Amino acid sequence: MNQTEAAWAALNRAATAAAGRRIDGLFAAEPGRLARLTLDAAGLEIDLSKQPWSLADLSVMLDLARASGVETARDRLFAGEIVNATEGRPALHMALRAPDGADFRAGGRPVSGEVEASRAAMKAFADAVRSGAKAGCTGKPFRAIVHIGIGGSDLGPRLVWEALKPLDPPIDLRFAANVDPAELAQALTGLDPAETMVVTVSKTFTTLETLTNAETARAWLRASLGTASDSHLVAVSAAPDKAQAFGVPADQVFGFWDWVGGRYSIWSAVGLSCAVALGWDVFARFQAGAWAMDEHFRAAPLDRNAPVLLALAHVFNRNGLSRPIRAVVPYAQRLRLFAAFLQQLEMESNGKRVTAAGQPVPHATAASVFGDAGTNGQHAFFQLLHQGTDIVPVDILAVREGSEGDPAAQAKLLANAVAQAEALMVGRPPAETPDPQRAFPGDRPSSFVLLDRLDPERLGALIALYEHKVFVEGVLWGINSFDQWGVELGKTLAARVLGELEGGPPGAHDPSTAALIARLRSQR
Ligand code: F6P
């Protein structure tokens, strides 16, 4: 048995013992527990003491991290080495948010200068649009942006906008991701084409949904303003030639690099719509917050390292205690899209069944993650969290100071966040109620992440915290967190099925699929 196998065996032994005791009992048994399992990182206060591990288990998990080479892997990540082997690329999103003067290298090639130039171009564009110096083809200033993109080209920008947008924004930012035409139709409704910019974001500039929506939006502009309205088109892509071929003016195509993964790309020009609609200063602060988390991740010892500890808590639940589902509940309406963002970040990154070397992974990998804003989720899925037959670990996020509205309501929101974490862990013992329907077993784990305010810096730090958590988990599981081959098959088959729905010759399919296609064809 090598060192890593021994560490996994130790994890399994620790988890077996954990399954036989209660979390809340650990506080009395371990006087230093709270201090050891709470930490501050880049403006976030994190409490992992309601997780099922004992302090001895934490040591076991830290041994696993060391045996798995987390520190070396982290150094390779920051050094811009090819950590995404199947695509032959580094994953260097940290370079995008480093302050000017940094010296990041992607596969040995210096990139920080290009990053600074890209940021300068984004800032100049954002400033020009916001001041009105850059106006539409009729001379009217832009008052709306329709951001078209999907997956990583959508979820981050949407989250950032919802989290930080002013109550009455001078520029209205709307999104369309789905190829379902209903979404773009809704996004365009009520907008004046003369005042609307269309920002198409696609790393590859080949994505069916995005190109379909971009064509429809371009036609919508041209229908009112003619081809002069092509000056309202902006694109963000790692394939700028394709964006220009689509008809986007060359000086309005913002590039980024193949070493920026889609789900890690909000820090690049993919965030342009947000930078314009929120202002460059806000976007720069958002990047700075993420960089603060990068510095923490790179420098903090493993046992005080927030992304590492979050990842270890997850692996203790996922692998040690065989928990295949987890939930994330932000007690902040402005963070309600965080679960959707995490679904791509965690499940596209770590939903893998072979190792980076192509062998079957000997461990379970990413849990399914779901969630919604608290308190709304309490009135939907919390029943299962408290009394269901599966134990679902929960990440609870909360913000001390509300961004707007009634402070009394904010206090009620926070009270619910705290109370739910307590109820999950402590429960209500049968002794307190003779009715089994009303008994709460408790002993259900949660992590608590507290932000003083939902400001750009803390939002950046929060997203970077989870990015690095996902990376650490991938290292422990020995998988490549930066590719996504699992999305390819469905795309290929959809292209084939579309040909058949459009009247092409029927292809070879299983009977169920063939019947579905026949039914849809007969309704045309
Ligand atoms: O769903 C697969 C995927 O490749 C994601 O990884 C990516 O974020 C999304 O599609 C959009 O891709 P693109 O930015 O190239 O349009």
Side-chain angles (χ1 to χ4, degrees), residues 149-153 201-207 210 256 261-263 344 348 484 487-488 491:
I150 196 164
S153 297
V201 181
S202 176
K203 182 176 175 185
T204 55
F205 227 80
T206 58
T207 304
T210 301
F256 62 106
R263 52 197 174 272
Q344 188 197 22
E348 192 164 87
Q484 56 283 318
V487 303
E488 294 303 325
K491 288 186 196 171

PDB file of all heavy atoms in Angstrom, residues 149-153 201-207 210 256 261-263 344 348 484 487-488 491, ligand 1:
ATOM      1  N   GLY A 149     -24.799  34.245 -24.167  1.00  0.00           N
ATOM      2  CA  GLY A 149     -23.756  33.248 -23.898  1.00  0.00           C
ATOM      3  C   GLY A 149     -24.375  32.164 -23.047  1.00  0.00           C
ATOM      4  O   GLY A 149     -25.492  32.335 -22.528  1.00  0.00           O
ATOM      5  N   ILE A 150     -23.684  31.062 -22.904  1.00  0.00           N
ATOM      6  CA  ILE A 150     -24.257  29.956 -22.126  1.00  0.00           C
ATOM      7  C   ILE A 150     -23.155  29.283 -21.318  1.00  0.00           C
ATOM      8  O   ILE A 150     -21.961  29.424 -21.629  1.00  0.00           O
ATOM      9  CB  ILE A 150     -24.992  28.950 -23.076  1.00  0.00           C
ATOM     10  CG1 ILE A 150     -25.927  28.022 -22.284  1.00  0.00           C
ATOM     11  CG2 ILE A 150     -23.993  28.153 -23.921  1.00  0.00           C
ATOM     12  CD1 ILE A 150     -26.954  27.302 -23.168  1.00  0.00           C
ATOM     13  N   GLY A 151     -23.546  28.555 -20.281  1.00  0.00           N
ATOM     14  CA  GLY A 151     -22.558  27.870 -19.435  1.00  0.00           C
ATOM     15  C   GLY A 151     -21.646  28.894 -18.787  1.00  0.00           C
ATOM     16  O   GLY A 151     -22.094  29.887 -18.214  1.00  0.00           O
ATOM     17  N   GLY A 152     -20.350  28.682 -18.909  1.00  0.00           N
ATOM     18  CA  GLY A 152     -19.395  29.605 -18.303  1.00  0.00           C
ATOM     19  C   GLY A 152     -19.446  30.993 -18.905  1.00  0.00           C
ATOM     20  O   GLY A 152     -18.966  31.960 -18.301  1.00  0.00           O
ATOM     21  N   SER A 153     -20.016  31.118 -20.072  1.00  0.00           N
ATOM     22  CA  SER A 153     -20.139  32.438 -20.705  1.00  0.00           C
ATOM     23  C   SER A 153     -21.413  33.154 -20.277  1.00  0.00           C
ATOM     24  O   SER A 153     -21.761  34.201 -20.831  1.00  0.00           O
ATOM     25  CB  SER A 153     -20.110  32.278 -22.238  1.00  0.00           C
ATOM     26  OG  SER A 153     -18.849  31.750 -22.629  1.00  0.00           O
ATOM     27  N   VAL A 201     -20.936  36.313 -26.111  1.00  0.00           N
ATOM     28  CA  VAL A 201     -19.783  35.769 -25.404  1.00  0.00           C
ATOM     29  C   VAL A 201     -19.709  34.271 -25.648  1.00  0.00           C
ATOM     30  O   VAL A 201     -20.621  33.528 -25.305  1.00  0.00           O
ATOM     31  CB  VAL A 201     -19.901  36.055 -23.893  1.00  0.00           C
ATOM     32  CG1 VAL A 201     -18.685  35.522 -23.155  1.00  0.00           C
ATOM     33  CG2 VAL A 201     -20.056  37.549 -23.653  1.00  0.00           C
ATOM     34  N   SER A 202     -18.639  33.851 -26.277  1.00  0.00           N
ATOM     35  CA  SER A 202     -18.442  32.424 -26.514  1.00  0.00           C
ATOM     36  C   SER A 202     -16.959  32.165 -26.685  1.00  0.00           C
ATOM     37  O   SER A 202     -16.337  32.719 -27.602  1.00  0.00           O
ATOM     38  CB  SER A 202     -19.204  31.976 -27.766  1.00  0.00           C
ATOM     39  OG  SER A 202     -18.921  30.619 -28.040  1.00  0.00           O
ATOM     40  N   LYS A 203     -16.419  31.343 -25.816  1.00  0.00           N
ATOM     41  CA  LYS A 203     -14.990  31.047 -25.918  1.00  0.00           C
ATOM     42  C   LYS A 203     -14.674  30.483 -27.304  1.00  0.00           C
ATOM     43  O   LYS A 203     -13.733  30.892 -27.955  1.00  0.00           O
ATOM     44  CB  LYS A 203     -14.593  30.073 -24.816  1.00  0.00           C
ATOM     45  CG  LYS A 203     -13.114  29.754 -24.805  1.00  0.00           C
ATOM     46  CD  LYS A 203     -12.739  28.867 -23.640  1.00  0.00           C
ATOM     47  CE  LYS A 203     -11.266  28.466 -23.748  1.00  0.00           C
ATOM     48  NZ  LYS A 203     -10.855  27.522 -22.722  1.00  0.00           N
ATOM     49  N   THR A 204     -15.488  29.546 -27.746  1.00  0.00           N
ATOM     50  CA  THR A 204     -15.220  28.875 -29.020  1.00  0.00           C
ATOM     51  C   THR A 204     -15.838  29.593 -30.214  1.00  0.00           C
ATOM     52  O   THR A 204     -15.410  29.401 -31.340  1.00  0.00           O
ATOM     53  CB  THR A 204     -15.811  27.463 -28.985  1.00  0.00           C
ATOM     54  OG1 THR A 204     -17.218  27.580 -28.661  1.00  0.00           O
ATOM     55  CG2 THR A 204     -15.135  26.599 -27.928  1.00  0.00           C
ATOM     56  N   PHE A 205     -16.854  30.345 -29.972  1.00  0.00           N
ATOM     57  CA  PHE A 205     -17.703  30.957 -31.018  1.00  0.00           C
ATOM     58  C   PHE A 205     -18.250  29.906 -31.978  1.00  0.00           C
ATOM     59  O   PHE A 205     -18.417  30.142 -33.172  1.00  0.00           O
ATOM     60  CB  PHE A 205     -16.972  32.081 -31.774  1.00  0.00           C
ATOM     61  CG  PHE A 205     -17.842  33.313 -31.912  1.00  0.00           C
ATOM     62  CD1 PHE A 205     -17.982  34.204 -30.861  1.00  0.00           C
ATOM     63  CD2 PHE A 205     -18.562  33.560 -33.069  1.00  0.00           C
ATOM     64  CE1 PHE A 205     -18.802  35.321 -30.958  1.00  0.00           C
ATOM     65  CE2 PHE A 205     -19.389  34.674 -33.182  1.00  0.00           C
ATOM     66  CZ  PHE A 205     -19.505  35.553 -32.119  1.00  0.00           C
ATOM     67  N   THR A 206     -18.545  28.734 -31.424  1.00  0.00           N
ATOM     68  CA  THR A 206     -19.184  27.685 -32.233  1.00  0.00           C
ATOM     69  C   THR A 206     -20.434  27.157 -31.533  1.00  0.00           C
ATOM     70  O   THR A 206     -21.094  26.265 -32.048  1.00  0.00           O
ATOM     71  CB  THR A 206     -18.244  26.477 -32.430  1.00  0.00           C
ATOM     72  OG1 THR A 206     -17.885  25.968 -31.141  1.00  0.00           O
ATOM     73  CG2 THR A 206     -16.995  26.834 -33.207  1.00  0.00           C
ATOM     74  N   THR A 207     -20.758  27.675 -30.366  1.00  0.00           N
ATOM     75  CA  THR A 207     -21.827  27.085 -29.558  1.00  0.00           C
ATOM     76  C   THR A 207     -23.201  27.373 -30.173  1.00  0.00           C
ATOM     77  O   THR A 207     -23.564  28.533 -30.406  1.00  0.00           O
ATOM     78  CB  THR A 207     -21.729  27.636 -28.117  1.00  0.00           C
ATOM     79  OG1 THR A 207     -20.417  27.349 -27.640  1.00  0.00           O
ATOM     80  CG2 THR A 207     -22.744  27.001 -27.203  1.00  0.00           C
ATOM     81  N   THR A 210     -25.637  29.916 -28.519  1.00  0.00           N
ATOM     82  CA  THR A 210     -25.161  31.300 -28.539  1.00  0.00           C
ATOM     83  C   THR A 210     -25.226  31.883 -29.949  1.00  0.00           C
ATOM     84  O   THR A 210     -25.670  33.022 -30.143  1.00  0.00           O
ATOM     85  CB  THR A 210     -23.732  31.333 -27.975  1.00  0.00           C
ATOM     86  OG1 THR A 210     -23.795  30.810 -26.645  1.00  0.00           O
ATOM     87  CG2 THR A 210     -23.149  32.721 -27.960  1.00  0.00           C
ATOM     88  N   PHE A 256      -9.794  36.466 -25.310  1.00  0.00           N
ATOM     89  CA  PHE A 256      -9.131  35.895 -24.135  1.00  0.00           C
ATOM     90  C   PHE A 256      -8.414  34.637 -24.580  1.00  0.00           C
ATOM     91  O   PHE A 256      -8.259  34.426 -25.790  1.00  0.00           O
ATOM     92  CB  PHE A 256     -10.073  35.729 -22.935  1.00  0.00           C
ATOM     93  CG  PHE A 256     -11.257  34.813 -23.094  1.00  0.00           C
ATOM     94  CD1 PHE A 256     -11.271  33.564 -22.481  1.00  0.00           C
ATOM     95  CD2 PHE A 256     -12.361  35.185 -23.822  1.00  0.00           C
ATOM     96  CE1 PHE A 256     -12.352  32.724 -22.585  1.00  0.00           C
ATOM     97  CE2 PHE A 256     -13.460  34.347 -23.948  1.00  0.00           C
ATOM     98  CZ  PHE A 256     -13.459  33.112 -23.328  1.00  0.00           C
ATOM     99  N   GLY A 261     -10.492  28.557 -18.623  1.00  0.00           N
ATOM    100  CA  GLY A 261     -11.612  27.634 -18.787  1.00  0.00           C
ATOM    101  C   GLY A 261     -12.931  28.392 -18.751  1.00  0.00           C
ATOM    102  O   GLY A 261     -13.057  29.402 -18.047  1.00  0.00           O
ATOM    103  N   GLY A 262     -13.929  27.924 -19.492  1.00  0.00           N
ATOM    104  CA  GLY A 262     -15.205  28.631 -19.557  1.00  0.00           C
ATOM    105  C   GLY A 262     -15.779  28.939 -18.190  1.00  0.00           C
ATOM    106  O   GLY A 262     -16.191  30.067 -17.900  1.00  0.00           O
ATOM    107  N   ARG A 263     -15.797  27.953 -17.298  1.00  0.00           N
ATOM    108  CA  ARG A 263     -16.420  28.161 -15.980  1.00  0.00           C
ATOM    109  C   ARG A 263     -15.519  28.943 -15.025  1.00  0.00           C
ATOM    110  O   ARG A 263     -15.895  29.190 -13.885  1.00  0.00           O
ATOM    111  CB  ARG A 263     -16.851  26.824 -15.380  1.00  0.00           C
ATOM    112  CG  ARG A 263     -15.771  25.761 -15.350  1.00  0.00           C
ATOM    113  CD  ARG A 263     -16.357  24.363 -15.143  1.00  0.00           C
ATOM    114  NE  ARG A 263     -15.329  23.323 -15.253  1.00  0.00           N
ATOM    115  CZ  ARG A 263     -14.950  22.737 -16.374  1.00  0.00           C
ATOM    116  NH1 ARG A 263     -15.507  23.091 -17.519  1.00  0.00           N
ATOM    117  NH2 ARG A 263     -14.019  21.800 -16.373  1.00  0.00           N
ATOM    118  N   GLN A 344     -22.329  24.270 -12.350  1.00  0.00           N
ATOM    119  CA  GLN A 344     -21.362  24.105 -13.438  1.00  0.00           C
ATOM    120  C   GLN A 344     -19.952  23.954 -12.876  1.00  0.00           C
ATOM    121  O   GLN A 344     -19.197  23.075 -13.284  1.00  0.00           O
ATOM    122  CB  GLN A 344     -21.400  25.280 -14.426  1.00  0.00           C
ATOM    123  CG  GLN A 344     -20.522  24.969 -15.647  1.00  0.00           C
ATOM    124  CD  GLN A 344     -20.146  26.164 -16.495  1.00  0.00           C
ATOM    125  OE1 GLN A 344     -20.172  27.304 -16.036  1.00  0.00           O
ATOM    126  NE2 GLN A 344     -19.756  25.906 -17.735  1.00  0.00           N
ATOM    127  N   GLU A 348     -19.329  20.192 -13.639  1.00  0.00           N
ATOM    128  CA  GLU A 348     -18.613  20.096 -14.915  1.00  0.00           C
ATOM    129  C   GLU A 348     -17.122  19.877 -14.660  1.00  0.00           C
ATOM    130  O   GLU A 348     -16.445  19.194 -15.422  1.00  0.00           O
ATOM    131  CB  GLU A 348     -18.837  21.359 -15.765  1.00  0.00           C
ATOM    132  CG  GLU A 348     -18.368  21.208 -17.205  1.00  0.00           C
ATOM    133  CD  GLU A 348     -18.917  22.282 -18.139  1.00  0.00           C
ATOM    134  OE1 GLU A 348     -18.296  23.346 -18.244  1.00  0.00           O
ATOM    135  OE2 GLU A 348     -19.976  22.065 -18.762  1.00  0.00           O
ATOM    136  N   GLN A 484     -14.036  18.864 -20.032  1.00  0.00           N
ATOM    137  CA  GLN A 484     -15.487  18.611 -19.927  1.00  0.00           C
ATOM    138  C   GLN A 484     -15.950  17.769 -21.109  1.00  0.00           C
ATOM    139  O   GLN A 484     -16.872  18.146 -21.817  1.00  0.00           O
ATOM    140  CB  GLN A 484     -16.296  19.920 -19.824  1.00  0.00           C
ATOM    141  CG  GLN A 484     -16.100  20.934 -20.953  1.00  0.00           C
ATOM    142  CD  GLN A 484     -14.828  21.707 -20.843  1.00  0.00           C
ATOM    143  OE1 GLN A 484     -14.436  22.139 -19.760  1.00  0.00           O
ATOM    144  NE2 GLN A 484     -14.143  21.889 -21.959  1.00  0.00           N
ATOM    145  N   VAL A 487     -19.752  16.678 -22.101  1.00  0.00           N
ATOM    146  CA  VAL A 487     -20.827  17.463 -22.713  1.00  0.00           C
ATOM    147  C   VAL A 487     -20.885  17.254 -24.231  1.00  0.00           C
ATOM    148  O   VAL A 487     -21.772  17.781 -24.903  1.00  0.00           O
ATOM    149  CB  VAL A 487     -20.674  18.977 -22.408  1.00  0.00           C
ATOM    150  CG1 VAL A 487     -20.641  19.224 -20.915  1.00  0.00           C
ATOM    151  CG2 VAL A 487     -19.427  19.540 -23.075  1.00  0.00           C
ATOM    152  N   GLU A 488     -19.935  16.481 -24.775  1.00  0.00           N
ATOM    153  CA  GLU A 488     -19.794  16.438 -26.235  1.00  0.00           C
ATOM    154  C   GLU A 488     -20.827  15.558 -26.928  1.00  0.00           C
ATOM    155  O   GLU A 488     -21.365  15.911 -27.972  1.00  0.00           O
ATOM    156  CB  GLU A 488     -18.378  15.953 -26.616  1.00  0.00           C
ATOM    157  CG  GLU A 488     -17.283  16.914 -26.213  1.00  0.00           C
ATOM    158  CD  GLU A 488     -17.472  18.307 -26.803  1.00  0.00           C
ATOM    159  OE1 GLU A 488     -17.957  18.415 -27.942  1.00  0.00           O
ATOM    160  OE2 GLU A 488     -17.175  19.291 -26.099  1.00  0.00           O
ATOM    161  N   LYS A 491     -24.225  16.993 -27.707  1.00  0.00           N
ATOM    162  CA  LYS A 491     -24.178  18.037 -28.742  1.00  0.00           C
ATOM    163  C   LYS A 491     -24.142  17.389 -30.127  1.00  0.00           C
ATOM    164  O   LYS A 491     -24.840  17.822 -31.049  1.00  0.00           O
ATOM    165  CB  LYS A 491     -22.904  18.884 -28.589  1.00  0.00           C
ATOM    166  CG  LYS A 491     -22.876  19.826 -27.416  1.00  0.00           C
ATOM    167  CD  LYS A 491     -21.601  20.685 -27.517  1.00  0.00           C
ATOM    168  CE  LYS A 491     -21.285  21.367 -26.220  1.00  0.00           C
ATOM    169  NZ  LYS A 491     -19.990  22.029 -26.208  1.00  0.00           N
TER     170      LYS A 491
HETATM  171  O1  F6P B   1     -21.307  23.017 -21.792  1.00  0.00           O
HETATM  172  C1  F6P B   1     -20.057  22.899 -22.360  1.00  0.00           C
HETATM  173  C2  F6P B   1     -19.350  24.203 -22.522  1.00  0.00           C
HETATM  174  O2  F6P B   1     -18.233  23.980 -23.294  1.00  0.00           O
HETATM  175  C3  F6P B   1     -18.971  24.869 -21.198  1.00  0.00           C
HETATM  176  O3  F6P B   1     -17.819  24.335 -20.656  1.00  0.00           O
HETATM  177  C4  F6P B   1     -18.845  26.292 -21.629  1.00  0.00           C
HETATM  178  O4  F6P B   1     -18.802  27.147 -20.547  1.00  0.00           O
HETATM  179  C5  F6P B   1     -20.079  26.418 -22.488  1.00  0.00           C
HETATM  180  O5  F6P B   1     -20.156  25.182 -23.166  1.00  0.00           O
HETATM  181  C6  F6P B   1     -20.076  27.557 -23.455  1.00  0.00           C
HETATM  182  O6  F6P B   1     -19.013  27.465 -24.365  1.00  0.00           O
HETATM  183  P1  F6P B   1     -18.572  28.697 -25.231  1.00  0.00           P
HETATM  184  O7  F6P B   1     -18.126  29.774 -24.334  1.00  0.00           O
HETATM  185  O8  F6P B   1     -17.466  28.193 -26.109  1.00  0.00           O
HETATM  186  O9  F6P B   1     -19.756  29.135 -26.056  1.00  0.00           O
END
